Short mmCIF file of all heavy atoms in Angstrom, two decimals:
data_model
loop_
_atom_site.label_atom_id
_atom_site.label_comp_id
_atom_site.label_asym_id
_atom_site.label_seq_id
_atom_site.Cartn_x
_atom_site.Cartn_y
_atom_site.Cartn_z
N GLN A 62 -50.79 -9.65 40.63
CA GLN A 62 -52.18 -9.81 40.16
C GLN A 62 -53.15 -9.34 41.23
O GLN A 62 -54.14 -8.65 40.94
CB GLN A 62 -52.45 -11.27 39.77
CG GLN A 62 -53.86 -11.44 39.19
CD GLN A 62 -54.06 -12.89 38.69
OE1 GLN A 62 -53.18 -13.73 38.76
NE2 GLN A 62 -55.27 -13.13 38.21
N TRP A 75 -53.14 -4.02 31.84
CA TRP A 75 -52.09 -4.15 32.87
C TRP A 75 -50.81 -4.56 32.09
O TRP A 75 -50.85 -5.22 31.10
CB TRP A 75 -52.39 -5.25 33.87
CG TRP A 75 -53.64 -5.05 34.68
CD1 TRP A 75 -54.32 -3.89 34.88
CD2 TRP A 75 -54.31 -6.08 35.46
NE1 TRP A 75 -55.38 -4.11 35.71
CE2 TRP A 75 -55.39 -5.46 36.06
CE3 TRP A 75 -54.12 -7.43 35.64
CZ2 TRP A 75 -56.34 -6.13 36.90
CZ3 TRP A 75 -54.99 -8.13 36.44
CH2 TRP A 75 -56.08 -7.50 37.08
N VAL A 248 -59.37 -6.59 21.24
CA VAL A 248 -60.72 -6.97 21.69
C VAL A 248 -61.39 -5.72 22.29
O VAL A 248 -60.77 -4.80 22.81
CB VAL A 248 -60.67 -8.09 22.75
CG1 VAL A 248 -60.15 -9.35 22.10
CG2 VAL A 248 -59.83 -7.67 23.93
N ALA A 255 -66.06 -10.70 34.50
CA ALA A 255 -65.56 -12.05 34.55
C ALA A 255 -64.14 -12.02 35.13
O ALA A 255 -63.31 -11.28 34.59
CB ALA A 255 -65.58 -12.70 33.18
N PRO A 256 -63.88 -12.80 36.17
CA PRO A 256 -62.54 -12.75 36.76
C PRO A 256 -61.48 -13.40 35.87
O PRO A 256 -61.81 -14.37 35.15
CB PRO A 256 -62.72 -13.50 38.07
CG PRO A 256 -63.85 -14.48 37.79
CD PRO A 256 -64.79 -13.71 36.83
N ILE A 257 -60.29 -12.93 35.96
CA ILE A 257 -59.15 -13.51 35.26
C ILE A 257 -58.62 -14.69 36.04
O ILE A 257 -58.53 -14.61 37.28
CB ILE A 257 -58.06 -12.45 34.99
CG1 ILE A 257 -58.52 -11.45 33.98
CG2 ILE A 257 -56.79 -13.10 34.52
CD1 ILE A 257 -57.43 -10.47 33.60
N LEU A 258 -58.31 -15.77 35.36
CA LEU A 258 -57.71 -16.88 36.05
C LEU A 258 -56.30 -16.53 36.54
O LEU A 258 -55.72 -15.50 36.20
CB LEU A 258 -57.65 -18.09 35.09
CG LEU A 258 -58.99 -18.56 34.56
CD1 LEU A 258 -58.80 -19.76 33.64
CD2 LEU A 258 -59.93 -18.95 35.71
N SER A 259 -55.74 -17.44 37.34
CA SER A 259 -54.42 -17.21 37.90
C SER A 259 -53.38 -17.04 36.80
O SER A 259 -53.16 -17.89 35.97
CB SER A 259 -54.02 -18.39 38.79
OG SER A 259 -52.67 -18.31 39.17
N LEU A 260 -52.72 -15.88 36.83
CA LEU A 260 -51.70 -15.56 35.83
C LEU A 260 -50.50 -16.50 35.97
O LEU A 260 -49.88 -16.91 34.95
CB LEU A 260 -51.21 -14.15 35.94
CG LEU A 260 -52.27 -13.07 35.56
CD1 LEU A 260 -51.67 -11.65 35.73
CD2 LEU A 260 -52.75 -13.23 34.14
N ILE A 263 -51.32 -19.82 34.22
CA ILE A 263 -51.24 -19.68 32.78
C ILE A 263 -49.81 -19.48 32.32
O ILE A 263 -49.40 -19.99 31.24
CB ILE A 263 -52.12 -18.49 32.29
CG1 ILE A 263 -53.54 -18.63 32.85
CG2 ILE A 263 -52.20 -18.50 30.74
CD1 ILE A 263 -54.44 -17.42 32.46
N GLN A 279 -48.85 -8.94 29.36
CA GLN A 279 -49.77 -7.86 29.00
C GLN A 279 -51.18 -8.39 29.10
O GLN A 279 -51.58 -9.40 28.53
CB GLN A 279 -49.56 -7.39 27.58
CG GLN A 279 -50.52 -6.35 27.07
CD GLN A 279 -50.38 -5.03 27.86
OE1 GLN A 279 -49.33 -4.51 28.00
NE2 GLN A 279 -51.50 -4.55 28.39
N VAL A 280 -51.99 -7.72 29.90
CA VAL A 280 -53.40 -8.08 30.10
C VAL A 280 -54.23 -6.97 29.54
O VAL A 280 -54.16 -5.84 29.93
CB VAL A 280 -53.72 -8.25 31.63
CG1 VAL A 280 -55.17 -8.68 31.79
CG2 VAL A 280 -52.79 -9.29 32.28
N SER A 281 -55.13 -7.35 28.61
CA SER A 281 -56.03 -6.39 27.97
C SER A 281 -57.42 -6.60 28.50
O SER A 281 -57.91 -7.75 28.63
CB SER A 281 -56.02 -6.58 26.47
OG SER A 281 -54.76 -6.37 25.94
N GLU A 282 -58.13 -5.56 28.87
CA GLU A 282 -59.48 -5.56 29.39
C GLU A 282 -59.65 -6.53 30.59
O GLU A 282 -60.44 -7.41 30.53
CB GLU A 282 -60.46 -5.92 28.28
CG GLU A 282 -60.40 -5.04 27.04
CD GLU A 282 -60.72 -3.57 27.34
OE1 GLU A 282 -61.24 -3.30 28.40
OE2 GLU A 282 -60.40 -2.71 26.46
N PRO A 283 -58.89 -6.33 31.64
CA PRO A 283 -59.03 -7.23 32.81
C PRO A 283 -60.40 -7.08 33.46
O PRO A 283 -60.98 -5.96 33.41
CB PRO A 283 -57.85 -6.76 33.75
CG PRO A 283 -57.65 -5.34 33.36
CD PRO A 283 -57.87 -5.26 31.86
N GLY A 284 -60.89 -8.09 34.04
CA GLY A 284 -62.16 -8.10 34.73
C GLY A 284 -63.36 -8.16 33.79
O GLY A 284 -64.51 -8.01 34.26
N ASP A 285 -63.11 -8.41 32.52
CA ASP A 285 -64.23 -8.47 31.57
C ASP A 285 -64.18 -9.81 30.84
O ASP A 285 -63.13 -10.46 30.77
CB ASP A 285 -64.06 -7.33 30.52
CG ASP A 285 -65.29 -7.23 29.61
OD1 ASP A 285 -66.27 -6.59 30.06
OD2 ASP A 285 -65.22 -7.74 28.48
N ALA A 286 -65.31 -10.21 30.29
CA ALA A 286 -65.40 -11.49 29.60
C ALA A 286 -64.51 -11.56 28.39
O ALA A 286 -64.13 -12.66 27.90
CB ALA A 286 -66.87 -11.80 29.22
N ALA A 287 -64.13 -10.40 27.88
CA ALA A 287 -63.26 -10.35 26.66
C ALA A 287 -61.80 -10.29 27.02
O ALA A 287 -60.97 -10.06 26.12
CB ALA A 287 -63.65 -9.15 25.83
N ALA A 288 -61.44 -10.44 28.23
CA ALA A 288 -60.02 -10.29 28.66
C ALA A 288 -59.08 -11.20 27.91
O ALA A 288 -59.39 -12.36 27.61
CB ALA A 288 -59.91 -10.57 30.19
N ARG A 289 -57.91 -10.65 27.55
CA ARG A 289 -56.88 -11.38 26.89
C ARG A 289 -55.58 -11.21 27.68
O ARG A 289 -55.25 -10.11 28.16
CB ARG A 289 -56.66 -10.89 25.45
CG ARG A 289 -57.85 -11.18 24.55
CD ARG A 289 -57.98 -12.68 24.23
NE ARG A 289 -59.05 -12.94 23.25
CZ ARG A 289 -60.31 -13.21 23.55
NH1 ARG A 289 -60.66 -13.22 24.85
NH2 ARG A 289 -61.20 -13.44 22.64
N VAL A 290 -54.78 -12.26 27.73
CA VAL A 290 -53.47 -12.21 28.42
C VAL A 290 -52.39 -12.67 27.48
O VAL A 290 -52.44 -13.77 26.91
CB VAL A 290 -53.46 -13.11 29.66
CG1 VAL A 290 -52.16 -12.97 30.42
CG2 VAL A 290 -54.62 -12.84 30.60
N THR A 291 -51.40 -11.79 27.24
CA THR A 291 -50.32 -12.10 26.31
C THR A 291 -49.02 -12.24 27.08
O THR A 291 -48.66 -11.38 27.88
CB THR A 291 -50.17 -11.00 25.23
OG1 THR A 291 -51.40 -10.87 24.53
CG2 THR A 291 -49.04 -11.35 24.24
N PHE A 292 -48.35 -13.34 26.82
CA PHE A 292 -47.06 -13.60 27.48
C PHE A 292 -45.93 -13.48 26.44
O PHE A 292 -46.04 -14.08 25.35
CB PHE A 292 -47.04 -15.03 28.11
CG PHE A 292 -48.02 -15.20 29.20
CD1 PHE A 292 -49.32 -15.60 28.94
CD2 PHE A 292 -47.66 -15.01 30.51
CE1 PHE A 292 -50.24 -15.77 29.93
CE2 PHE A 292 -48.58 -15.19 31.57
CZ PHE A 292 -49.88 -15.58 31.27
N THR A 308 -50.97 -15.55 23.22
CA THR A 308 -52.13 -14.89 23.86
C THR A 308 -53.15 -15.92 24.28
O THR A 308 -53.49 -16.85 23.52
CB THR A 308 -52.77 -13.85 22.92
OG1 THR A 308 -51.80 -12.87 22.63
CG2 THR A 308 -53.96 -13.18 23.58
N TYR A 309 -53.68 -15.75 25.48
CA TYR A 309 -54.70 -16.59 26.03
C TYR A 309 -55.99 -15.82 26.26
O TYR A 309 -55.96 -14.63 26.51
CB TYR A 309 -54.26 -17.23 27.38
CG TYR A 309 -53.13 -18.19 27.30
CD1 TYR A 309 -51.81 -17.77 27.17
CD2 TYR A 309 -53.38 -19.58 27.37
CE1 TYR A 309 -50.75 -18.66 27.12
CE2 TYR A 309 -52.32 -20.47 27.27
CZ TYR A 309 -51.01 -20.03 27.19
OH TYR A 309 -49.98 -20.92 27.10
N ASP A 310 -57.12 -16.55 26.26
CA ASP A 310 -58.37 -16.02 26.79
C ASP A 310 -58.22 -15.98 28.28
O ASP A 310 -57.94 -17.03 28.94
CB ASP A 310 -59.52 -16.94 26.35
CG ASP A 310 -60.85 -16.39 26.79
OD1 ASP A 310 -61.02 -15.96 28.00
OD2 ASP A 310 -61.78 -16.33 25.97
N GLY A 311 -58.36 -14.80 28.83
CA GLY A 311 -58.08 -14.64 30.28
C GLY A 311 -59.05 -15.34 31.21
O GLY A 311 -58.77 -15.54 32.38
N THR A 312 -60.23 -15.72 30.70
CA THR A 312 -61.26 -16.33 31.55
C THR A 312 -61.28 -17.87 31.41
O THR A 312 -61.86 -18.52 32.25
CB THR A 312 -62.63 -15.75 31.19
OG1 THR A 312 -62.92 -16.05 29.82
CG2 THR A 312 -62.70 -14.26 31.41
N THR A 313 -60.67 -18.39 30.35
CA THR A 313 -60.67 -19.81 30.16
C THR A 313 -59.27 -20.42 30.05
O THR A 313 -59.14 -21.66 30.02
CB THR A 313 -61.45 -20.19 28.86
OG1 THR A 313 -60.78 -19.66 27.74
CG2 THR A 313 -62.87 -19.62 28.94
N ALA A 314 -58.22 -19.59 29.92
CA ALA A 314 -56.84 -20.02 29.74
C ALA A 314 -56.68 -20.79 28.44
O ALA A 314 -55.77 -21.63 28.35
CB ALA A 314 -56.39 -20.85 30.95
N THR A 315 -57.46 -20.50 27.48
CA THR A 315 -57.36 -21.16 26.16
C THR A 315 -56.46 -20.31 25.23
O THR A 315 -56.72 -19.11 25.05
CB THR A 315 -58.70 -21.32 25.49
OG1 THR A 315 -59.56 -22.09 26.37
CG2 THR A 315 -58.60 -22.06 24.14
N PRO A 316 -55.42 -20.90 24.62
CA PRO A 316 -54.61 -20.11 23.66
C PRO A 316 -55.47 -19.67 22.46
O PRO A 316 -56.17 -20.48 21.88
CB PRO A 316 -53.52 -21.10 23.25
CG PRO A 316 -53.49 -22.12 24.32
CD PRO A 316 -54.89 -22.25 24.83
N VAL A 317 -55.38 -18.38 22.10
CA VAL A 317 -56.16 -17.88 20.99
C VAL A 317 -55.27 -17.28 19.85
O VAL A 317 -55.78 -17.00 18.78
CB VAL A 317 -57.16 -16.79 21.46
CG1 VAL A 317 -58.19 -17.41 22.43
CG2 VAL A 317 -56.41 -15.64 22.18
#
Side-chain angles (χ1 to χ4, degrees):
Q62 183 175 0
W75 298 344
V248 295
I257 288 184
L258 299 180
S259 170
L260 293 179
I263 308 177
Q279 175 65 51
V280 181
S281 300
E282 305 298 347
D285 188 82
R289 294 288 186 269
V290 185
T291 302
F292 296 87
T308 298
Y309 292 80
D310 184 311
T312 61
T313 65
T315 302
V317 296

